[in-house]
Each structure stands twice: as structure tokens, then as C-alpha cells.
Amino acid sequence: MNDNEGLFWRMLSLFQCLPELQPAQTLAWLSGERDDALTPQYLESLDVRKLEATFPSDTAMMSPARWIRVKECLRGKLPGHLQTQRPARRPQLLAAFCSQDGLLINGHFGQGRLFFIYAFDDQGCWLHALRRYPSAPQEQEANEVRAQLLNDCHLLFCEAIGGPAAARLIRHNIHPMKVSPGISILSQCDAIKKLLTGRLPPWLAKRLEKANPLEERVF
């Protein structure tokens, strides 16, 4: 993860930690008199006592435990739902979740900028990668860029997706799945784990190059 990526995810975790503040308030508070852009190194160097003295809210309940969380965000120790893992074992399936916060499946694919990739095997699941739509202008059509961003995934879960975008994903061998509003990523991960322990749907068995349960039927 380069500095720009590291900075983005640190700031996202900090915005989630301090929902009472608008993002612009948080950026101004951290920047102080600094004219240069924020960097991970600068965030790590900040004195929390000075931050406490200049905190831009009189109503937010800032306990010692909450200040510890702020310090962890600044130093790059992200909360669990933003911590990727790299187990030695090879995943059987990769599922992408279109989400605005890494907690709920609450993104429209055609507008989604954040994708949380979970890996699955017979021992469980883990957060495999954090990916975001590039901020720089792209020459390719936006949904083609998103599809290529997820080209190693088997499934994509989102709150909404248009027909042409779904067809594009299928051409990339990614199966799109719409979910009801309010579904959490972890609850959907539990459903996937349960699915993988039973008989797979024919389309998924074929995608994972596993035995098709229909082939075992006797006619």
C-alpha cells in the first residue's frame, strides 16, 4: 500500500471514529497552520495533547479510550473491518462488497468507489484487500474500470446495479448479487461460508471448478 492509499484508509477510519465532525472540520483540525498536503508520516508525528487542545467540538464525548482510537488511526492501526490479512493458504473464493464504510453493503455499483474484498476457504474468511476507484481521470468507461478492479473476484455484492453493468461483470466472470438495504458485510460472509459447506449452485460450482451437483442426479 503506497502513501496515498495508506493516507486514504487512515482518514476513512478517523472519519468513522469522529462522526460528530464533518470531514472538512477534521482535515482543518489536523492540518493546523500546515500548508502542505497531509501525509502518513505527518499524521504519526502529531501530538495528541495539542490535538485535544484544539479539538473543534464542544459537544462530542471524548473519553480517554476514544482518544486512544484517534491515536491508533493516526498511526495507521486501522479498526478490524479495515485490516487486511494475508494467510499462507490460498483462498477458494473471492467476494467483493460495494460499501461506503466497510461495514454495510450500501453502495450502488455504478457509483461505488470503495470495494472490500473478502477471501474464503474451508477454514473461514478474512479481509483480503481494500480497493478504491482511481481518483485520476480514466480513459476507459467507468464500469469497465470497476470490473477490471475486481477481475480476480467471483462474486460482487451491492445494494443496486443496472442491467448493462451486471452484464459487463458477467463478461468478466464476476457474478453480481443485489442485497436488501441494511445487510452487513459480516452477515453476508456468514451466508457465503454456509453456502460453501453445502452443495453449490451449478453456476458457482462451475466457476470454482468444483463438481456440479446436477451431475450426481440419477434420471
Side-chain angles (χ1 to χ4, degrees):
M1 186 180 291
N2 60 36
D3 277 1
N4 285 338
E5 286 293 308
L7 178 63
F8 175 85
W9 295 107
R10 289 186 200 202
M11 293 307 301
L12 178 63
S13 68
L14 193 59
F15 294 155
Q16 292 180 353
C17 180
L18 300 171
E20 299 93 340
L21 303 182
Q22 294 296 319
Q25 284 181 290
T26 302
L27 291 171
W29 170 54
L30 295 177
S31 298
E33 302 299 323
R34 179 185 175 90
D35 294 325
D36 297 336
L38 299 181
T39 65
Q41 294 76 20
Y42 171 72
L43 294 184
E44 292 172 13
S45 72
L46 289 173
D47 187 325
V48 176
R49 288 175 296 180
K50 292 181 180 179
L51 290 178
E52 290 183 34
T54 57
F55 189 66
S57 174
D58 296 327
T59 58
M61 302 296 291
M62 296 300 295
S63 65
R66 203 169 183 201
W67 278 113
I68 290 174
R69 287 169 54 202
V70 169
K71 182 184 291 188
E72 289 176 343
C73 293
L74 295 174
R75 293 181 176 177
K77 184 179 179 181
L78 303 180
H81 67 282
L82 296 179
Q83 291 184 15
T84 59
Q85 302 177 44
R86 290 289 180 176
R89 59 190 192 270
R90 183 179 178 180
Q92 297 175 358
L93 178 147
L94 293 179
F97 297 89
C98 186
S99 173
Q100 300 175 48
D101 55 15
L103 297 170
L104 299 177
I105 306 171
N106 54 10
H108 186 300
F109 177 75
Q111 301 167 1
R113 305 192 72 84
L114 302 182
F115 297 92
F116 299 80
I117 316 302
Y118 277 76
F120 297 79
D121 65 10
D122 54 7
Q123 297 183 48
C125 70
W126 62 93
L127 181 59
H128 176 75
L130 303 171
R131 298 177 188 167
R132 62 186 179 117
Y133 187 85
S135 55
Q138 301 294 306
E139 294 182 0
Q140 294 178 305
E141 194 272 336
N143 283 340
E144 178 63 22
V145 174
R146 291 184 176 89
Q148 292 187 12
L149 191 65
L150 309 176
N151 64 1
D152 57 343
C153 296
H154 302 88
L155 306 173
L156 176 280
F157 291 87
C158 58
E159 193 174 285
I161 185 171
R168 186 184 297 272
L169 284 178
I170 291 171
R171 288 198 295 272
H172 282 266
N173 288 321
I174 305 166
H175 193 86
M177 306 282 287
K178 290 199 299 184
V179 302
S180 301
I183 298 295
S184 72
I185 290 177
L186 290 183
S187 66
Q188 188 61 60
C189 284
D190 288 340
I192 295 173
K193 287 189 291 185
K194 184 177 180 180
L195 175 68
L196 291 175
T197 61
R199 288 181 175 269
L200 299 178
W203 61 267
L204 184 55
K206 181 178 180 180
R207 181 72 176 85
L208 298 179
E209 298 181 349
K210 293 193 173 187
N212 188 335
L214 292 181
E215 294 176 355
E216 300 176 10
R217 294 177 60 183
V218 177
F219 293 92

